[in-house]
Amino acid sequence: MIRIILFLLLIALGAAGAAWIAEQPGDVMLSWGSVKLTTKLPVFVLGLGIVVVAAMMLWSILRGLWRTPERMRGSRRERRQARGRHAITQGLLAIGHGDSSAARMHAEAARRHAAHDPLALLLHAQSAQLDGDREGAQRAFRAMAEREDTRLLGLRGLFIEAQRADDPVAAVMVAEEALKLSPSSSWASHAVLGFCCAKGDWAGALKILDNNQSAGLIDKATYRRQRGVLLTARALEFEKVDRDLARESVMEAVKLAPTLVPAAVLASKFESEAHQIRRSMRLVETAWLAQPHPDLADAYAHVKLGDSARQRLVRVETLAAKMPGHIEGALAIARAAIDASEFTKAREALAPFIAAPTQRVALLMAEIERTEHGDSGRARAWTLRAVRALHDPAWTADGYVSDRWRPVSPVTGRLDAFQWQTPVAALPSDKAGAIESSAFEEAMLATPRRAVVLEPPKDVTEPAAEPIVPVAPAPPAEQDNAPPPAATAEVVPAEASQPEAAAAPAPAPPKPAEPVPSRPAPLFRSRQDIPKAIPTPIPAVIPLVRAPDDPGVDEDGTPDEFAEQIGPPKAQAGGWRGFLSRWGGS
């Protein structure tokens, strides 16, 4: 609308000017040497306008002819760029859906048409990575790292290739260079931080962490937690080397992360050595309420040096009461009760967890049985049950289980990755146990304890108190080939046929026989028409009888077992020849 109004105003001004020129009287005379031209003012103005327009047209034509080669070069360059962009677009799409041959073809086209385009270099590097060409990918990333606009991207590619080649030194060097170029690069700071933690450079790791916090890569809560983890790691390393530095580090760590178990344990130890008992107990209690841990219970029990086992038991019971029903509290009470010889309290503490015990519960029960009663059988049964019991929580990070706390995961290099939890491999798939207990364990654990009474040994010739009354077997199932049933004869025991049994005194009256449960019919029925031989009684002592040709024990001396035997030993003749040879030799 505004343009239309301006156009109408311009037309009106032009018409007004033309009318004003037409109304002006007089002539215009041009004199150039001997040539004189006289004309009216409107005609002069009209001719002047025509001359100006013609000059402008001529200038435009000349200028167009002068710039024609440049325009041709520009159009050719634009067509090449358009082809290069099209090749880059199609190549990135091919990389996206995993077509390596198409990606390689489009990368070659992009390099021909748009060799200086950063995306063409990126397409070439990614297509080489897709093909598995490590050298080609490194060349492309090096070319990108040499350019100012793609230096950070090239360094990131070189870092990834160094990781794939398992070259941590080159990877860290590239990450350090990228961190100098861009302090806010998260991948570079993470890599350098992991490298500093791996080599124990806690000062460098704290510096990188401060840089991450100032660059806004982590929030304040995460910064406090990770700084506490790094300070705790430094304190644990310098605990026996530089105790002042270790104490200063762990005290700052426990302020930043009061629920960190290793920091609370070490800080409690330092406070206990400084005779700050209440402060030491408060540190452990704060961490215990967040995460009960056996190290916390042990530190709380020994917070005051020189206490007796019963005093430690009372202190541990106070700590366990802050988290009632937790298994760590029960285990701590059981451990302290065993040390104080309070086995009843130890059993009561472990009673809620005996139905589905963990390994530590089963081992503590085995120790109770062995220490209290000396019952090695029940202790062995609990030990076998511990092998099949559920796993206890452990320090776990990324599937890696460690026997101690570590600041960094050895798998991924992630800071503060270790958590006190049940390992993933030990989690049961359902509520039932993965491995059922054996019959031996159930029998040993279910058998009540009885007092052992020692009786004097009886005479060997004393007859049995009760006669052996055989029980007639149940009649077998009827078969087609079964012989006719014979009259059941009373079987006389073998001991009754011996002459020694006749001289023995009359046995005591037998007790009333208990009802015998019915048994299934035997698969093979013994034949009654074949008489059975009466078994001979087994003597109490088996005499040692030598053979007639046994020379006995050589009493001359023990032969040297290291002496070399030149020939095989001679065999001794038997019978009368051996007797005569021995008699003649004597």
Side-chain angles (χ1 to χ4, degrees):
M1 186 67 184
I2 296 177
R3 291 181 180 180
I4 295 175
I5 294 174
L6 292 176
F7 181 72
L8 293 176
L9 288 176
L10 183 61
I11 291 177
L13 290 176
W20 179 79
I21 291 174
E23 292 177 356
Q24 295 299 323
D27 298 332
V28 177
M29 179 180 294
L30 294 177
S31 176
W32 189 357
S34 59
V35 178
K36 293 183 179 179
L37 295 175
T38 304
T39 181
K40 299 290 184 182
L41 181 61
V43 176
F44 175 76
V45 171
L46 180 61
L48 183 62
I50 292 173
V51 171
V52 171
V53 171
M56 293 177 62
M57 293 179 63
L58 180 61
W59 172 255
S60 298
I61 293 172
L62 294 176
R63 185 170 178 268
L65 293 175
W66 179 263
R67 298 183 62 182
T68 297
E70 183 179 357
R71 288 181 179 179
M72 294 177 63
R73 289 193 300 269
S75 62
R76 191 183 302 110
R77 184 169 55 252
E78 289 179 357
R79 287 196 300 269
R80 290 173 61 87
Q81 290 179 356
R83 293 174 183 174
R85 292 194 185 98
H86 178 73
I88 291 171
T89 303
Q90 297 300 322
L92 293 177
L93 292 177
I95 290 175
H97 57 74
D99 192 353
S100 60
S101 60
R104 184 171 56 255
M105 180 184 63
H106 290 298
E108 293 295 333
R111 185 164 53 181
R112 287 195 309 269
H113 298 297
H116 300 285
D117 196 332
L119 293 179
L121 296 175
L122 178 62
L123 176 60
H124 178 66
Q126 290 189 346
S127 63
Q129 287 180 334
L130 189 61
D131 284 338
D133 186 6
R134 298 286 180 84
E135 296 182 358
Q138 290 180 1
R139 287 195 300 269
F141 284 126
R142 288 195 191 97
M144 296 172 66
E146 292 175 358
R147 297 181 50 163
E148 189 69 24
D149 53 350
T150 60
R151 180 172 300 174
L152 191 61
L153 183 58
L155 292 176
R156 176 65 186 278
L158 292 176
F159 173 76
I160 295 175
E161 289 300 322
Q163 282 187 327
R164 290 182 178 179
D166 197 11
D167 189 358
V169 178
V172 172
M173 291 178 60
V174 172
E176 289 177 350
E177 185 177 355
L179 192 61
K180 294 178 182 178
L181 183 64
S182 176
S184 61
S185 179
S186 59
W187 64 269
S189 62
H190 178 75
V192 177
L193 180 62
F195 178 73
C196 292
C197 294
K199 68 178 182 179
D201 184 10
W202 308 116
L206 290 171
K207 183 178 179 180
I208 296 298
L209 188 64
D210 294 339
N211 185 21
N212 293 343
Q213 199 271 338
S214 60
L217 299 178
I218 54 177
D219 54 359
K220 188 175 181 180
T222 306
Y223 168 74
R224 291 173 61 87
R225 175 74 180 187
Q226 292 184 356
R227 183 174 178 82
V229 169
L230 293 176
L231 290 172
T232 303
R234 184 171 67 177
L236 290 174
E237 183 177 349
F238 291 96
E239 179 184 359
K240 299 181 180 179
V241 179
D242 190 350
R243 294 184 65 84
D244 295 335
L245 178 60
R247 178 183 176 84
E248 179 184 355
S249 301
V250 78
M251 288 306 170
E252 183 182 355
V254 82
K255 292 179 182 178
L256 295 173
T259 60
L260 186 61
V261 173
V265 171
L266 187 57
S268 174
K269 179 181 177 181
F270 282 121
E271 293 293 346
S272 176
E273 292 177 355
H275 303 287
Q276 300 292 334
I277 306 302
R278 293 186 178 275
R279 188 181 301 174
S280 176
M281 294 173 65
R282 284 197 299 269
L283 292 175
V284 175
E285 290 171 358
T286 303
W288 179 269
L289 293 176
Q291 177 64 68
H293 194 274
D295 292 346
L296 294 173
D298 184 71
Y300 200 81
H302 296 85
V303 71
K304 190 175 183 181
L305 303 178
D307 282 353
S308 62
R310 295 184 182 273
Q311 291 175 336
R312 293 197 299 268
L313 174 59
V314 173
R315 191 178 297 115
V316 168
E317 288 178 345
T318 303
L319 180 64
K322 298 182 180 297
M323 292 287 289
H326 201 279
I327 187 173
E328 291 295 342
L331 291 171
I333 293 176
R335 179 69 270 169
I338 292 173
D339 295 339
S341 299
E342 296 286 346
F343 300 104
T344 304
K345 287 188 178 180
R347 292 180 183 273
E348 291 176 357
L350 297 178
F353 308 99
I354 290 179
T358 62
Q359 292 180 349
R360 291 167 59 195
V361 172
L363 291 177
L364 285 176
M365 287 299 300
E367 186 175 355
I368 291 172
E369 296 292 347
R370 185 183 300 106
T371 307
E372 183 180 8
H373 300 288
D375 193 346
S376 60
R378 294 175 66 86
R380 188 181 301 109
W382 275 111
T383 306
L384 292 176
R385 194 171 182 181
V387 177
R388 299 178 176 88
L390 298 176
H391 287 262
D392 292 281
W395 289 114
T396 308
D398 302 322
Y400 178 84
V401 181
S402 176
D403 56 345
R404 59 183 178 87
W405 177 83
R406 297 183 181 183
V408 182
S409 170
V411 180
T412 60
R414 183 164 52 95
L415 184 64
D416 191 23
F418 276 91
Q419 301 294 329
W420 182 255
Q421 60 186 1
T422 304
V424 178
L427 293 177
S429 58
D430 51 6
K431 296 182 179 180
I435 302 178
E436 298 179 356
S437 59
S438 62
F440 170 74
E441 299 172 16
E442 296 179 357
M444 290 300 298
L445 297 177
T447 303
R449 188 178 294 102
R450 297 179 180 178
V452 180
V453 180
L454 298 178
E455 297 181 356
K458 297 182 180 180
D459 190 4
V460 180
T461 59
E462 183 180 355
E466 299 179 2
I468 301 176
V469 180
V471 180
E478 296 183 0
Q479 301 178 3
D480 296 338
N481 58 350
T488 304
E490 184 176 359
V491 180
V492 180
E495 289 80 358
S497 61
Q498 301 296 332
E500 290 81 5
K511 297 179 181 180
E514 298 179 358
V516 180
S518 60
R519 293 180 294 181
L523 184 60
F524 299 97
R525 183 169 52 83
S526 59
R527 298 184 60 178
Q528 301 293 337
D529 54 343
I530 300 177
K532 294 183 178 180
I534 299 176
T536 58
I538 300 175
V541 179
I542 301 177
L544 296 177
V545 182
R546 295 182 179 177
D549 56 349
D550 188 1
V553 181
D554 189 8
E555 299 178 356
D556 294 338
T558 305
D560 187 7
E561 60 180 352
F562 298 100
E564 182 179 2
Q565 296 182 2
I566 300 176
K570 297 180 179 180
Q572 184 178 357
W576 61 273
R577 293 183 180 178
F579 174 78
L580 291 177
S581 62
R582 288 197 300 273
W583 182 73
S586 61

